[in-house]
Amino acid sequence: MLTAAQVRAARALLGLDQRRLAEAAGLSLPTIQRMEASDGQVRGNVDSLMKLVDALERSGVELIGEGAVSSGGGRGVRLKTVPNRTGRTSTPGAKS
């Protein structure tokens, strides 16, 4: 599943503002704003999500799912899971 943090990070890596991402995806600016404001997983209809993912991938971003292996050899960023005080793993910056 695509998270709001992934969208913001992908946009930052590409040097795009929300308006330019909206144009690339064929979506409205408010739609991109709502998606990025989602808490955790991006909320939206399937067509809009597919347009967003396609635009990011066409622009050169590889979206990596939780626990997935990257297939590319380019630069990237990934959050590590770290054990917390209870011994459970968590992702830094993730909301509980």
Side-chain angles (χ1 to χ4, degrees):
M1 289 295 193
L2 182 65
T3 67
Q6 281 179 300
V7 176
R8 291 189 302 270
R11 189 169 56 75
L13 286 170
L14 294 168
L16 298 175
D17 61 18
Q18 289 178 328
R19 183 173 308 283
R20 287 184 51 209
L21 179 57
E23 290 168 1
L27 299 170
S28 69
L29 177 59
T31 297
I32 296 297
Q33 290 170 333
R34 276 193 305 275
M35 288 176 165
E36 287 193 5
S38 297
D39 188 23
Q41 294 179 357
V42 171
R43 295 184 304 261
N45 68 49
V46 174
D47 185 53
S48 295
L49 290 170
M50 294 305 295
K51 286 180 179 181
L52 176 61
V53 168
D54 187 50
L56 291 171
E57 289 179 346
R58 278 193 328 264
S59 297
V61 168
E62 178 186 1
L63 297 166
I64 305 168
E66 182 72 29
V69 176
S70 173
S71 62
R75 296 175 190 248
V77 175
R78 171 179 245 152
L79 290 173
K80 307 189 269 188
T81 51
V82 294
N84 62 22
R85 290 179 288 202
T86 63
R88 296 181 180 156
T89 58
S90 64
T91 303
K95 296 182 180 179
S96 326

